[in-house]
Amino acid sequence: MRLRNKPWAKEMINDNLDLISVQPTDMQGKWQSKFEKEQPLFLELGSGKGRFITDLAKQNPQNNYIAMEVQEGAISLLLKKQVEMKLPNLQLLLDNGSKLSELFAENEIDGLYLNFSDPWPKTRHEKRRLTYKAFLEQYKYVLKDDGHVKFKTDNQGLFEYSLISMNNYGMKFDEISLDLHNNEGLNLNNIQTEYEEKFSKKGFRINYLKAHF
């Protein structure tokens, strides 16, 4: 979902470049320098308004996190939160997910989160899905050998497509659930996104998987 432009967004971004990077060209292998200390580094691709990634960062101070979003309107709302919270283990990134191998060095990321990505249901838009093989190739490049991808969606079609796409790419599945919120073992430490909470309350099942290369 595309958010309306925020007239204050650009000014806020320009005033807080210590908290957000905008289409950087020289950060490959250097992301740890953005944080107070070097720790395992995790990336959320498509952070939206940021409830998931901020809660995750607060609960896990032993890790560093990057919230990546292509929409200026969405990431500006997340930046507004981070200006107030100043979480030392969270950095924001405004850029396109199709450029991961240009933004990050090989084996730089410990784990990747995909939460409620745009399903792009039309066949002609397949290449835009974040679990399309071209994206998986980039994930494999930036992730460490023991790195993982965690994926959640309420869209059954996208989930089925993702299972097939990842399997065809040779990925191995560690965890799979077709109803995450009713899977006590997997849901125990689940952090919900704004979208997830809204649609699960309406009865939508949440699909989840964890996989590695």
Side-chain angles (χ1 to χ4, degrees), residues 154-170:
D154 65 309
N155 189 289
Q156 190 70 24
L158 177 62
F159 193 69
E160 292 173 358
Y161 169 86
S162 301
L163 288 171
I164 294 171
S165 179
M166 290 178 169
N167 181 69
N168 289 344
Y169 198 84

Side-chain angles (χ1 to χ4, degrees):
M1 181 183 297
R2 184 162 291 277
L3 298 175
R4 293 179 180 177
N5 288 331
K6 310 296 179 184
W8 45 265
K10 288 187 183 298
E11 183 178 357
M12 171 166 277
I13 290 172
N14 290 333
D15 288 345
N16 294 281
L17 294 178
D18 57 324
L19 302 176
I20 183 170
S21 299
V22 181
Q23 299 180 332
T25 58
D26 60 348
M27 285 302 297
Q28 283 183 316
K30 302 175 184 177
W31 284 99
Q32 293 285 2
S33 66
K34 287 281 188 176
F35 300 92
E36 287 188 355
K37 54 185 176 180
E38 187 168 333
Q39 304 181 129
L41 181 60
F42 295 84
L43 170 68
E44 184 186 21
L45 187 54
S47 295
K49 298 177 183 177
R51 171 179 165 180
F52 171 84
I53 198 69
T54 52
D55 284 353
L56 190 65
K58 282 189 287 187
Q59 293 181 23
N60 297 275
Q62 76 280 5
N63 295 327
N64 290 332
Y65 296 94
I66 295 176
M68 185 173 179
E69 175 60 53
V70 69
Q71 292 189 51
E72 185 178 87
I75 206 166
S76 63
L77 294 174
L78 172 50
L79 177 59
K80 195 172 185 179
K81 295 178 184 178
Q82 176 62 341
V83 167
E84 297 173 357
M85 295 183 294
K86 288 287 195 305
L87 294 171
N89 61 334
L90 176 63
Q91 279 285 321
L92 279 56
L93 171 58
L94 177 61
D95 214 323
N96 195 305
S98 64
K99 297 166 55 181
L100 285 190
S101 58
E102 299 175 25
L103 295 166
F104 298 93
E106 188 174 7
N107 304 321
E108 190 170 7
I109 302 296
D110 288 86
L112 178 68
Y113 296 93
L114 305 173
N115 290 318
F116 300 90
S117 311
D118 193 324
W120 294 106
K122 295 181 179 178
T123 302
R124 69 174 184 271
H125 292 151
E126 179 187 9
K127 293 182 179 180
R128 297 186 181 185
R129 298 171 193 163
L130 294 187
T131 50
Y132 179 66
K133 60 184 179 181
F135 282 98
L136 299 181
E137 182 179 6
Q138 295 205 58
Y139 303 159
K140 184 177 182 180
Y141 177 81
V142 302
L143 282 172
K144 294 181 179 177
D145 291 340
D146 59 350
H148 60 261
V149 176
K150 289 186 176 182
F151 173 57
K152 290 194 290 186
T153 180
D154 65 309
N155 189 289
Q156 190 70 24
L158 177 62
F159 193 69
E160 292 173 358
Y161 169 86
S162 301
L163 288 171
I164 294 171
S165 179
M166 290 178 169
N167 181 69
N168 289 344
Y169 198 84
M171 295 184 71
K172 308 298 182 184
F173 299 102
D174 304 300
E175 299 169 346
I176 295 177
S177 177
L178 301 179
D179 191 1
L180 176 62
H181 290 191
N182 287 311
N183 188 318
E184 185 175 343
L186 294 178
N187 190 44
L188 187 62
N189 296 311
N190 179 49
I191 296 174
Q192 295 191 44
T193 71
E194 295 94 343
Y195 187 98
E196 180 177 357
E197 181 179 42
K198 176 182 177 181
F199 281 86
S200 63
K201 285 181 177 178
K202 292 183 177 181
F204 286 73
R205 290 187 306 172
I206 306 303
N207 304 279
Y208 161 82
L209 67 81
K210 177 183 177 183
H212 67 275
F213 293 95

